[in-house]
Amino acid sequence: LFANHGVHGSHDLGNLLNRYGVPFKIFTSHVSDPDPFAAIRDTFTAQRVVTDLQRAKFALMGYPFPAMGDFAADVSELVAKFGPEFGIVPVEEYITRAAEAPETEAKALAAEYRALYDVAADLTDHDLEVTARAELALRGIVASRGLQGLTYQFTALGDDSRTSTVPFVGISRMMGERYRRTGR
């Protein structure tokens, strides 16, 4: 059986699937292969990535970076090819969320910054609380919209005089957390 005929049914099944237009893959390996399931794991991993992307929600806060084609993404092509949802977050939402962030949470997060990072001596508690409010605003936007990805165009934030700070610390921390969570 192993020498001559072990995969005979695969031909019949492959022919039937092919006739009905059903996509399929056949995985084989040699008996001495040290990891015969590697290709199957890779395929399942790729399928998981595709499925996650199809179900994902992404958003841009602000507007696309003007005159910077290297930063541009054709969102309609991304959505058409892969199927994620893509939205725009108004800068107004960020400003409102930052202003309304609970004071106790902002103070606690500012204290966390001081405990975790080498903070410049000239940064005041107020500076750190403003930075914390920005991070809390980002986290609130991501959570309330169920986003898997958020980007912002920093000049869009800077163009609005009500923006007290650009949330570089918050977005960096959020990316770092995702990095650790996935193990990549």
Side-chain angles (χ1 to χ4, degrees):
L1 181 65
F2 283 119
N4 296 316
H5 222 59
V7 296
H8 179 70
S10 301
H11 302 103
D12 299 333
L13 180 58
N15 186 28
L16 181 68
L17 292 171
N18 199 33
R19 277 188 288 160
Y20 283 96
V22 177
F24 67 94
K25 286 185 176 258
I26 295 177
F27 297 93
T28 64
S29 69
H30 192 269
V31 70
S32 66
D33 188 342
D35 191 4
F37 299 105
I40 294 171
R41 277 195 308 276
D42 290 349
T43 299
F44 286 161
T45 299
Q47 185 57 51
R48 176 62 189 256
V49 169
V50 168
T51 300
D52 287 351
L53 188 55
Q54 289 169 337
R55 295 178 182 158
K57 290 181 178 181
F58 301 108
L60 165 66
M61 184 166 48
Y63 50 80
F65 210 107
M68 293 295 284
D70 58 333
F71 288 154
D74 186 343
V75 174
S76 56
E77 183 177 352
L78 177 70
V79 170
K81 277 188 176 178
F82 300 108
E85 190 177 312
F86 188 85
I88 300 293
V89 175
V91 173
E92 178 71 30
E93 182 176 347
Y94 164 75
I95 292 167
T96 301
R97 284 180 178 275
E100 294 174 355
E103 184 177 347
T104 56
E105 289 182 41
K107 286 182 181 296
L109 192 52
E112 183 179 318
Y113 295 158
R114 284 216 187 269
L116 291 176
Y117 309 115
D118 290 329
V119 176
D122 61 341
L123 283 177
T124 66
D125 287 343
H126 174 74
D127 294 331
L128 293 179
E129 287 172 24
V130 168
T131 300
R133 287 177 175 283
E135 180 174 340
L136 293 169
L138 286 184
R139 290 182 184 278
I141 289 166
V142 168
S144 69
R145 292 172 176 257
L147 299 176
Q148 283 69 50
L150 172 67
T151 188
Y152 61 84
Q153 204 280 79
F154 65 91
T155 62
L157 298 174
D159 287 347
D160 192 310
S161 62
R162 297 170 301 158
T163 302
S164 54
T165 190
V166 178
F168 288 128
V169 171
I171 203 81
S172 296
R173 285 170 43 96
M174 292 167 73
M175 287 188 296
E177 289 166 11
R178 179 65 183 157
Y179 180 83
R180 283 194 305 274
R181 210 170 28 246
T182 62
R184 293 191 189 109

